[in-house]
Amino acid sequence: MIYTEGELIVCQNCKTELDNIRKENLLTKDELVLLKHPERIMQVNFPIKKDDGSLEIITGFRVQYSFILGPGKGGIRFHQSVDVDEVSELAFGMTLKTSLVDLPFGGAKGGVRINPENYSQKELEKIARGYVREIFDIVGPHKDIPAPDVNTNPQIMAWMLDEYEKIAGQPSPAFITGKPVEQGGSEGRDKSTAMGGFYILEEEYKDKEKSEITVAVQGFGNAGSVMAELLFDAGYRVVAVSDSSGGLYDAEGLDIPELIKYVHGQEKTKKLITYDKYRRINNEELLSLDVDLLIPAALGGVITLKNAPAVQAKMILELANGPIMPVAEPILVDKGIKIIPGILANSGGVIVSYFEWKQNLSGEHWSLEEVNSKLKEKIVGAYRQVKELAEKEGLTYRRASYKIAIKRIIKKAKEKKII
Ligand code: GLU
């Protein structure tokens, strides 16, 4: 966290992006001031008793960047790199994302600074519950609704919901989304991030022969492996995938269902690098492959000033949040690479979260077909709007997405007489 000229800046990347937008005259000075700061930042430090009997203090954050469009919305990640800057940047991204796809939510994000691999299930449950106890006052079905993000899953959401309901003293399934279906979760939420991105690709490539489209997917977790499978099933040629251990490559295309069975079908998740039927490549090689489509689906900041010049993909779909560093983007744009930004490409997750929240509040349960058809309509609608604006005004998809999102927020702020 830094102070510049008396101004508190918790998120340098948000500020840089907003300053760029301001330079293009898309924002007045007051509007810029309004969006530059998160509305609320909470840091919590709480103890848990570890399995060996020792006590550890766990640090977490919840940043509620904006409530202009409605209650806060955004996931909670468990990761060792979590800090207030990262969570603020992600909360800023959620603010733009919910606006772009026209959901009645503001933007928020949570994070707990741990490496989950170092904790047992019992300890993770204590961490999930402890975190909810600490943030209880500022979250709720009409205040701020969390969800899964990096390294969190339906089981963790179930623990968090249980803890929330214990304190609230009443059933409150709409407090959190991404729950197991048995606990009020929505059909299709587990695959919704990848599914949304896939619908965009189907629209983008609707006139193309799929077997001629080569794809590299970075990240083989919930988003990446599901996306790889959807593409494989639809006939695309997925030539490379990777996880934190490294990647695999085959010019003829990889057998994705086989790899999913190998990595996720075991009692303990396996690493791709131990699979021995394909050529091994490292993550940097994967990012620089000469493919039609590159899908970063893991963490943020993987395409940097240093490796951007080597990227050869024709198009990049950001399934992760913020995989392209803002400073690296101009290099890619100059090379003519089309970029579908994360706030559009990965919005399927929060769209189905919204459906889940709606079902919880109304006591309904929608079928998978209904969820997916509504998701498709919403995300393809947003994609077409972005495409149209980008083509009309000669903007990148990212700029066009920001423009639409910010316009909606400012309009609402004016209606509410906030500015
Ligand atoms: N963590 C996901 C995201 O970054 C989903 C958020 C949500 O469903 O609220 O969009």
Side-chain angles (χ1 to χ4, degrees):
M1 199 182 308
I2 50 169
Y3 285 88
T4 316
E5 295 160 16
E7 210 181 356
L8 171 66
I9 303 296
V10 285
C11 169
Q12 194 56 43
N13 280 340
C14 320
K15 185 179 173 298
T16 310
E17 284 295 89
L18 285 166
D19 283 340
N20 288 336
I21 293 166
R22 164 92 176 116
K23 274 187 219 134
E24 292 164 25
N25 283 328
L26 297 181
L27 279 171
T28 65
K29 195 161 165 282
D30 285 353
E31 290 165 356
L32 177 73
V33 169
L34 177 75
L35 293 177
K36 239 182 192 176
H37 303 276
E39 289 193 31
R40 186 187 279 145
I41 297 176
M42 187 176 207
Q43 175 173 349
V44 298
N45 304 296
F46 58 95
I48 62 145
K49 203 53 160 279
K50 296 197 67 184
D51 292 347
D52 66 6
S54 66
L55 204 68
E56 184 178 326
I57 298 294
I58 304 289
T59 295
F61 302 90
R62 185 76 186 167
V63 176
Q64 297 169 326
Y65 203 97
S66 168
F67 293 112
I68 294 172
L69 291 178
K73 187 85 193 83
I76 298 165
R77 65 173 53 186
F78 283 5
H79 197 271
Q80 57 274 22
S81 76
V82 159
D83 63 21
V84 70
D85 277 289
E86 185 185 270
V87 181
S88 301
E89 191 176 328
L90 291 161
F92 174 65
M94 286 309 302
T95 304
L96 298 178
K97 196 186 300 186
T98 52
S99 175
L100 176 63
V101 293
D102 203 10
L103 302 179
F105 293 133
K109 199 80 170 198
V112 177
R113 188 160 59 213
I114 56 160
N115 178 354
E117 283 178 15
N118 299 339
Y119 296 86
S120 69
Q121 285 299 303
K122 228 168 109 192
E123 291 166 342
L124 287 175
E125 178 173 352
K126 287 182 186 169
I127 293 170
R129 289 181 183 278
Y131 176 73
V132 167
R133 277 198 298 279
E134 296 295 322
I135 64 167
F136 180 83
D137 286 341
I138 63 163
V139 290
H142 299 285
K143 287 187 192 169
D144 179 9
I145 305 108
D149 196 70
V150 172
N151 291 334
T152 53
N153 54 34
Q155 173 62 72
I156 293 176
M157 300 303 108
W159 288 327
M160 290 185 168
L161 174 62
D162 187 60
E163 192 64 29
Y164 182 89
E165 290 182 334
K166 267 189 195 148
I167 307 171
Q170 57 182 347
S172 315
F175 149 65
I176 202 163
T177 58
K179 307 175 283 288
V181 174
E182 309 74 58
Q183 261 93 43
S186 177
E187 302 291 342
R189 176 62 184 85
D190 51 349
K191 298 193 170 170
S192 55
T193 305
M195 194 58 103
F198 177 74
Y199 287 140
I200 290 178
L201 292 174
E202 286 289 271
E203 180 72 12
E204 176 74 31
Y205 292 127
K206 64 175 177 244
D207 303 322
K208 295 236 165 74
E209 171 54 41
K210 305 297 181 287
S211 62
E212 285 166 13
I213 301 171
T214 53
V215 191
V217 182
Q218 192 223 20
F220 211 61
N222 181 34
S225 69
V226 174
M227 177 58 110
E229 190 169 38
L230 289 170
L231 292 170
F232 177 90
D233 288 345
Y236 293 73
R237 193 140 49 96
V238 184
V239 296
V241 294
S242 70
D243 61 18
S244 58
S245 70
L248 302 171
Y249 175 83
D250 191 313
E252 298 306 312
L254 303 165
D255 184 342
I256 301 297
E258 179 64 29
L259 289 175
I260 290 182
K261 223 187 308 155
Y262 178 75
V263 172
H264 297 295
Q266 326 267 338
E267 216 165 88
K268 191 160 172 26
T269 305
K270 285 234 168 113
K271 296 285 183 198
L272 279 170
I273 207 75
T274 58
Y275 190 84
D276 55 13
K277 273 198 222 145
Y278 295 117
R279 201 182 107 203
R280 291 182 181 142
I281 54 171
N282 63 32
N283 259 297
E284 288 302 309
E285 285 174 279
L286 180 134
L287 294 174
S288 63
L289 285 173
D290 184 5
V291 284
D292 294 300
L293 174 64
L294 171 64
I295 305 182
L299 288 171
V302 291
I303 300 180
T304 61
L305 263 184
K306 212 166 134 220
N307 63 16
V311 174
Q312 298 184 68
K314 293 185 185 62
M315 184 164 103
I316 301 176
L317 179 113
E318 291 188 318
L319 205 57
N321 285 312
I324 300 174
M325 291 184 79
V327 286
E329 180 133 338
I331 300 173
L332 304 172
V333 172
D334 282 350
K335 291 170 90 163
I337 301 172
K338 182 168 177 178
I339 299 165
I340 314 233
I343 60 165
L344 175 62
N346 69 33
S347 65
V350 73
I351 292 173
V352 178
S353 272
Y354 166 61
F355 296 159
E356 182 172 329
W357 179 77
K358 258 184 106 163
Q359 291 172 75
N360 293 150
L361 291 178
S362 63
E364 290 174 21
H365 187 81
W366 305 350
S367 68
L368 179 60
E369 292 68 39
E370 190 174 354
V371 169
N372 280 342
S373 95
K374 287 190 157 112
L375 165 61
K376 186 173 179 182
E377 195 187 320
K378 192 122 190 97
I379 204 162
V380 172
Y383 165 80
R384 288 195 183 129
Q385 229 186 331
V386 169
K387 185 176 157 95
E388 201 186 300
L389 183 67
E391 282 168 4
K392 194 168 127 216
E393 300 193 3
L395 301 170
T396 62
Y397 275 35
R398 190 182 309 277
R399 274 283 164 276
S401 300
Y402 275 40
K403 197 171 171 182
I404 294 166
I406 288 177
K407 209 169 147 194
R408 221 170 249 146
I409 297 169
I410 297 298
K411 185 167 169 269
K412 190 61 146 198
K414 285 185 179 149
E415 271 167 33
K416 287 179 153 180
K417 304 217 179 324
I418 295 170
I419 51 172

